[in-house]
Amino acid sequence: MPRDLLARMWRAMPARVRRAGVWLTQPRFTVTAGAVVLDDRDRILLLQHVFRAGSGWGIPGGFVERGEQPEDALRRELREEVGLEAADVRLVSARTLKPTQQVELLFLVRAREGAAARPASGEVRRAEWFGRDQLPPQLSRDQRRLIERALENGRAAGE
C-alpha cells in the first residue's frame, strides 16, 4: 500500500521535478571508449601516452563527450591521437571501474588498409604496431587483458 501511494505521488510530480530527483539520487559515471585496433597485417596499435601511469603503453581511446555517441567518440579519438581512420568498428565489451566511477566501452577496430599511425597530439609520445606475440613487456596486465578480451570477443563475433 505505501509503495502504491509513493508511486502515485511520483507520477503526479512535474517531469522536471522527477528528472531532478533522478539526477540527485543516481550515481555519476564518466564514459570512455577504448579500442584494440588491428591493421591489415593483424598487428595491434599501441600508444605511449604522456599522461598514462607506468610505461605509458596502452590502447587508444578517451572520454565520450556529452551528447556524443560512443563509436563517434572513438573515431574522433583515433583521428585526434594518431590521425587514423577506422574501416570497421565493433563494440566487444563494457565494464564498470568503481574506483574511478567510470564505464569503459571496448571496441575492436579494423584500420583502413595501409593506414599509418603517427602521434598527432601532445598526449601521445609514440604510436607503434605490434604483432600479437610481440607486445611490449612494459604493457600492463590490465591492458593485456583488454586486448585478449577484444580479440576473443571479436573471434566469437566472426572477426
Side-chain angles (χ1 to χ4, degrees):
M1 181 74 115
R3 184 178 54 194
D4 294 336
L5 177 61
L6 284 173
R8 281 196 304 270
M9 289 171 52
W10 177 258
R11 288 190 303 266
M13 287 185 213
R16 70 177 185 279
V17 173
R18 289 194 312 258
R19 276 192 300 276
V22 170
W23 188 85
L24 289 169
T25 61
Q26 297 305 306
R28 302 286 171 270
F29 291 88
T30 56
V31 180
T32 60
V36 173
V37 180
L38 301 175
D39 70 359
D40 51 2
R41 293 172 35 201
D42 261 1
R43 296 178 301 171
I44 299 166
L45 175 65
L46 293 177
L47 308 182
Q48 193 172 45
H49 284 267
V50 172
F51 302 116
R52 185 172 281 161
S55 71
W57 286 110
I59 62 173
F63 292 101
V64 177
E65 295 175 358
R66 184 182 297 268
E68 188 175 36
Q69 293 299 317
E71 182 178 326
D72 295 337
L74 179 68
R75 288 177 183 275
R76 174 184 50 75
E77 286 289 340
L78 289 172
R79 281 191 304 275
E80 288 176 0
E81 290 184 341
V82 290
L84 186 86
E85 293 295 331
D88 183 42
V89 176
R90 187 173 333 146
L91 179 65
V92 292
S93 179
R95 68 179 180 169
T96 301
L97 304 171
K98 289 183 182 182
T100 56
Q101 292 290 96
Q102 177 180 332
V103 174
E104 182 180 73
L105 304 173
L106 180 63
F107 292 86
L108 183 61
V109 173
R110 183 63 69 172
R112 294 192 191 274
E113 192 168 332
R118 293 178 191 84
S121 87
E123 296 176 36
V124 178
R125 184 175 292 125
R126 292 169 54 193
E128 292 185 31
W129 296 98
F130 292 89
R132 293 180 189 203
D133 58 344
Q134 298 172 330
L135 300 175
Q138 309 91 342
L139 187 65
S140 75
R141 185 172 33 227
D142 183 59
Q143 290 289 298
R144 288 178 190 279
R145 278 195 300 260
L146 288 174
I147 292 168
E148 290 168 10
R149 181 179 298 142
L151 296 174
E152 284 174 14
N153 291 349
R155 272 195 299 276
E159 167 63 29

